Amino acid sequence: MRKTERQWAKLEKKQPVWLETLDANSLENQLQFLSMSQEQAGAWVDKPLNPAIKKNIENLDKRLKRAQNRLKLQQHDPSVYNLGLRLYTLYGHDQKLETAHLEMLEKHLDQAPQYYQQARQKLVSPETSQCDSAVLQHIAGVTFLRGALSKQVNSSQIPAGKTKVLDKKIKRACFYMKDYLAWCRSVAFEARQLPEPTN
């Protein structure tokens, strides 16, 4: 049990701040570890153990299941990936952006291609209703980037050249967001065209 806890603690330390930016290999490795650990925990729970030890194993199993469910969303829920919402939580306030904010914003905008490429790699069986949700969320996200966020950038006291660079990067990020939106819409459409299973 302690070994499993230590191993999971090490894996958690490697997780990025934005959990959905785990690459496909890291996600698969973590899910395999969680699955194997739960099998072991289940086998121990069935044995005649000291009640205190049994309780600790059960608590560990619950923690691992919660972590597994959270990670599995990355394989089934397209709305987990939402750069627009991430940026809104960071910059979606009516305030002037400081230089440090702008540098971090630029870094996040530059991640858009990789962010959505990894999303498609990890989504093995997207749920149709969640595809619909992702479409609506990305429409709102693009609206925020092209509207309120662009306005904040342009009203900040930074050189005109820097403003142009950020405007260009916002448009580029919006391109990848709209491309992902279209992909989600296509996945949902194709799923609805499949024939109903016959008895």
Side-chain angles (χ1 to χ4, degrees):
M1 183 182 74
R2 290 194 184 97
K3 184 180 176 184
T4 299
E5 284 180 320
R6 285 195 300 271
Q7 284 180 293
W8 178 238
K10 283 180 185 177
L11 286 172
E12 281 191 308
K13 280 182 184 176
K14 294 178 183 177
Q15 288 180 352
V17 176
W18 295 0
L19 190 61
E20 77 274 16
T21 58
L22 276 172
D23 62 63
N25 286 337
S26 297
L27 177 64
E28 192 57 41
N29 288 340
Q30 291 197 19
L31 285 171
Q32 283 178 3
F33 171 81
L34 289 166
S35 178
M36 182 184 67
S37 298
Q38 284 175 53
E39 282 180 25
Q40 291 173 344
W44 278 101
V45 166
D46 293 335
K47 293 183 178 180
L49 298 171
N50 177 297
I53 294 174
K54 197 167 188 173
K55 185 71 175 172
N56 286 340
I57 292 173
E58 287 172 350
N59 287 337
L60 175 62
D61 188 48
K62 285 177 186 175
R63 279 177 46 216
L64 296 177
K65 277 180 180 167
R66 279 196 299 269
Q68 186 183 50
N69 290 336
R70 201 167 63 245
L71 291 174
K72 276 188 173 180
L73 286 175
Q74 295 186 43
Q75 295 179 323
H76 308 293
D77 186 354
S79 64
V80 163
Y81 306 96
N82 191 335
L83 185 61
L85 179 61
R86 286 292 191 182
L87 295 178
Y88 178 79
T89 59
L90 294 172
Y91 310 105
H93 309 286
D94 233 0
Q95 61 183 14
K96 290 195 174 180
L97 298 174
E98 303 295 332
T99 304
H101 292 153
L102 291 166
E103 287 174 359
M104 189 56 71
L105 170 61
E106 188 172 0
K107 182 181 175 184
H108 291 319
L109 291 170
D110 285 339
Q111 290 173 346
Q114 183 182 8
Y115 184 88
Y116 286 109
Q117 181 187 18
Q118 287 185 346
R120 293 189 203 195
Q121 287 173 349
K122 290 185 282 183
L123 285 162
V124 292
S125 52
E127 294 177 4
T128 306
S129 62
Q130 298 297 349
C131 285
D132 295 335
S133 177
V135 167
L136 295 175
Q137 288 178 25
H138 277 75
I139 290 171
V142 169
T143 302
F144 165 67
L145 263 69
R146 296 299 295 269
L149 186 60
S150 290
K151 186 178 176 182
Q152 279 179 264
V153 167
N154 287 299
S155 64
S156 297
Q157 295 178 345
I158 55 172
K162 187 68 171 175
T163 302
K164 284 182 181 177
V165 169
L166 281 165
D167 278 338
K168 188 175 179 181
K169 292 191 176 190
I170 286 173
K171 287 175 184 173
R172 183 168 173 263
C174 285
F175 168 81
Y176 286 101
M177 290 169 68
K178 288 190 282 186
D179 185 55
Y180 182 72
L181 180 161
W183 179 79
C184 290
R185 190 174 274 157
S186 173
V187 168
F189 176 79
E190 287 177 17
R192 290 189 174 99
Q193 300 308 304
L194 291 173
E196 292 289 329
T198 54
N199 293 334

